[in-house]
Amino acid sequence: MDHPTWLTMNEKAFEALPRSGRSPYLGQVLARALRSHLAVVPPETSLRAKPILLRLRPPLPLRLRVYLFRATQHASERQAGTFRIQLSVGEQVPHTEPRRFKFDRSDNVRCLLAGYHSNLRTFILWDADMQDIGEGYPFSKGVQAPPGVLFRAVARGIAEEERQLRRPNRMETIIAARPDCLAEAIERRVALSIRSISGEAIPGC
């Protein structure tokens, strides 16, 4: 089966491709990181969407709805160097004021909440089940990750760090991973997200 050129070209050539305002760059980075696990290569139009629906091979979920955002650093964050994304999409929760949103879990498709920092070339995976628990999240909610977890992932391939959430009052494990370790990170993220709901123990990686 023929694959699009952007999926198979080397990293230097891919990063040199011209980008427009509607570029599917983030989606392409995601697909490239998972190319050996793709059951179906997503069309370029779907890679511009939020969320991106991926069809994958085991041991990854057969279908995954990925909410992928560009991760940035803001000097205004309380912890210096913190990375963050802003949740600008979702399914509106009826009868909420101000409006609140949840991730789309229709057809029993698992959601993945992720950020990508292009300079560090590193993904961040949050617990989607914990981020929209209860009545959901407000539009443009900021979701943060401490800098150390990204820097450790750059050095080691994959890293984890726990942080205390205020709403809900629970511990969340954040995972960061280089593209070559993303499949492993997704497996770990799914296991930890199941634990956050069920309370079951998951072995350390």
Side-chain angles (χ1 to χ4, degrees), residues 109-127:
V109 177
R110 175 163 289 280
C111 295
L112 182 74
L113 177 60
Y116 181 73
H117 194 276
S118 55
N119 290 342
L120 295 178
R121 297 184 183 177
T122 303
F123 288 92
I124 313 166
L125 308 181
W126 288 271
D127 190 335

Side-chain angles (χ1 to χ4, degrees), residues 124-128 130-131 146 149 159-165 170-176 188-189 192-193 195-196 205:
I124 313 166
L125 308 181
W126 288 271
D127 190 335
M130 200 174 290
Q131 290 296 331
V149 70
E160 297 181 14
E161 186 165 327
E162 289 189 337
R163 66 165 183 164
Q164 178 67 49
L165 297 179
R170 300 173 68 175
M171 294 295 294
E172 177 189 30
T173 302
I174 299 170
I175 303 174
R188 179 68 174 165
R189 172 75 279 156
L192 288 172
S193 294
R195 185 183 71 175
S196 76
C205 57

Side-chain angles (χ1 to χ4, degrees), residues 180-191:
D180 58 303
C181 296
L182 181 59
E184 177 188 352
I186 290 174
E187 284 190 72
R188 179 68 174 165
R189 172 75 279 156
V190 169

Side-chain angles (χ1 to χ4, degrees), residues 2-9 41-42 44:
D2 292 335
H3 293 308
T5 305
W6 60 262
L7 186 64
T8 55
M9 65 176 48
V41 176
E44 206 166 281

Side-chain angles (χ1 to χ4, degrees), residues 9-79:
M9 65 176 48
N10 65 49
E11 191 69 17
K12 185 176 180 180
F14 173 73
E15 291 295 337
L17 289 175
R19 314 288 178 191
S20 67
R22 288 287 294 160
S23 168
Y25 171 73
L26 286 181
Q28 288 176 337
V29 170
L30 176 69
R32 283 170 59 86
L34 297 173
R35 59 188 161 200
S36 63
H37 301 272
L38 292 174
V40 177
V41 176
E44 206 166 281
T45 51
S46 73
L47 295 176
R48 295 187 178 95
K50 282 185 176 60
I52 299 169
L53 180 63
L54 294 181
R55 298 182 183 275
L56 304 166
R57 298 189 179 97
L60 296 181
L62 299 184
R63 293 182 299 169
L64 196 62
R65 198 170 274 131
V66 185
Y67 287 81
L68 178 60
F69 300 87
R70 190 178 300 275
T72 59
Q73 285 179 298
H74 286 260
S76 60
E77 295 293 336
R78 285 179 293 178
Q79 182 182 358

